[in-house]
Amino acid sequence: MYRLFVSDFDGTLLDSDEAIPLSTMVEIDRIRRDGVKFAVASDRILKSVLDYNRDFPFLDYVISCDGAYVYDVVHRKALLKKPLQVSIIKKIKKLYSNCELYLDTVQEKYLCKNDIVYSEIKNCRISFSEFYEAHKNLIYQLEIKFFTKKDRDNAFRELEELQLKAHFMKKDQKKDYRIIIVSNDSSKVFGLEKICKKEHLSLEQVVYVGDDEEDIPILLSVGQSAVVSNGSKKAKKVANVQTSSNETKGVEKVIKKLF
């Protein structure tokens, strides 16, 4: 029997307006009242996901920053923290000083450009050295933004050749091409294992719905896996089933079918 339902966020649970359909929220609430825990797994920072939980609480756990930070929402407690190594942050900053870098903490996504770090929430800017000293152990994810896919792919190959002790992922959104970097021992699967350990569950008792190639390890690990129809072909090949798109409530349909 499945006791934990986990969904990818962007492109899966959220529609193109970055909203969760009300009927989907109702279904999530129904299975939670029946004792099934609900979690989101995302490359977003924690705060960005929790903002959706304010008006209609539906989350038990959040796997944020691609597994680098796992949070118990109900008890307001971190289950896992895997900040990026200081040496990797410095190395990336030096190699890609001409690019826009995003330094992700739990609470904010900071933009670093031309050695200045910009805070949208605090509406201020400080030097990288000042920011670094204050946040060096609080950065869970680093993003490099490129304006062409070719530049991004070339940089990805360069980073792989350097064999840095970090995990690199490609992320495309319209004409926004990024490389996302997290700690080498961070992953959605590892984050999920932490939740399962706390809940005394096996991975066989987990349902996961995803959409892209980065979801493949977790799709292969759980008891029941599904991919939305707008997801990647490679992810669809390894999933147990395919559901409808994020625009047509694919996650909700999986919930109704299994519960």
Side-chain angles (χ1 to χ4, degrees):
M1 186 176 182
Y2 304 118
R3 304 306 303 166
L4 174 63
F5 195 108
V6 187
S7 175
D8 177 66
F9 209 45
D10 294 278
T12 304
L13 185 60
L14 300 185
D15 60 23
S16 58
D17 294 323
E18 296 193 357
I20 304 173
L22 179 59
S23 60
T24 301
M25 297 289 275
V26 170
E27 287 301 309
I28 293 171
D29 182 63
R30 176 178 65 81
I31 63 172
R32 289 182 75 227
R33 283 189 279 108
D34 288 339
V36 178
K37 304 294 183 179
F38 190 87
V40 158
S42 177
D43 62 3
R44 290 194 183 209
I45 63 173
L46 178 65
K47 182 183 182 301
S48 179
V49 178
L50 290 182
D51 284 345
Y52 286 81
N53 202 57
R54 288 180 299 185
D55 298 327
F56 195 142
F58 69 102
L59 289 168
D60 291 291
Y61 298 97
V62 177
I63 302 171
S64 63
C65 294
D66 274 305
Y69 196 94
V70 180
Y71 188 69
D72 180 339
V73 179
V74 176
H75 298 97
R76 300 181 181 181
K77 179 181 178 181
L79 299 181
L80 179 69
K81 299 178 182 180
K82 290 286 183 180
L84 270 169
Q85 291 182 11
V86 170
S87 58
I88 292 173
I89 297 170
K90 284 186 173 181
K91 186 76 172 180
I92 298 299
K93 170 69 170 54
K94 183 177 180 181
L95 287 171
Y96 299 100
S97 58
N98 294 326
C99 297
E100 290 186 358
L101 302 180
Y102 291 86
L103 307 162
D104 299 347
T105 66
V106 172
Q107 293 295 325
E108 187 170 0
K109 186 183 292 289
Y110 295 87
L111 168 62
C112 180
K113 188 175 182 181
N114 299 325
D115 215 39
I116 300 295
V117 177
Y118 302 82
S119 168
E120 184 175 311
I121 293 176
K122 298 173 184 175
N123 193 26
C124 67
R125 59 184 69 183
I126 58 175
S127 69
F128 175 77
S129 58
E130 289 177 294
F131 171 84
Y132 176 78
E133 285 304 314
H135 297 83
K136 60 185 177 183
N137 295 316
L138 301 172
I139 300 170
Y140 292 93
Q141 186 168 259
L142 196 157
E143 303 176 46
I144 314 170
K145 181 179 178 180
F146 300 88
F147 293 100
T148 69
K149 188 174 184 293
K150 182 178 179 181
D151 287 343
R152 193 277 313 277
D153 290 345
N154 288 337
F156 193 84
R157 284 191 292 269
E158 291 172 356
L159 287 169
E160 287 189 320
E161 290 171 1
L162 288 174
Q163 296 185 334
L164 297 175
K165 292 182 179 180
H167 182 49
F168 307 103
M169 297 161 283
K170 298 177 182 178
K171 189 75 174 182
D172 295 346
Q173 191 171 3
K174 295 180 180 179
K175 293 185 178 180
D176 186 331
Y177 305 99
R178 301 192 185 203
I179 295 174
I180 295 179
I181 305 166
V182 294
S183 172
N184 197 39
D185 53 358
S186 296
S187 71
K188 289 181 179 179
V189 174
F190 191 49
L192 176 58
E193 288 174 342
K194 285 291 183 182
I195 296 172
C196 286
K197 183 177 180 179
K198 183 178 182 301
E199 292 290 336
H200 305 290
L201 301 175
S202 71
L203 290 173
E204 285 294 318
Q205 293 174 286
V206 178
V207 179
Y208 185 84
V209 185
D211 72 329
D212 63 24
E213 293 175 30
E214 290 300 327
D215 290 320
I216 289 176
I218 202 167
L219 290 167
L220 291 169
S221 300
V222 298
Q224 180 69 23
S225 61
V227 170
V228 287
S229 62
N230 54 291
S232 75
K233 291 181 180 179
K234 290 184 178 179
K236 290 175 184 176
K237 286 182 180 179
V238 304
N240 298 129
V241 297
Q242 180 178 319
T243 185
S244 60
S245 73
N246 64 321
E247 295 295 337
T248 52
K249 307 177 184 178
V251 171
E252 180 180 328
K253 289 176 181 177
V254 175
I255 293 173
K256 287 181 175 179
K257 182 177 181 179
L258 295 178
F259 302 94

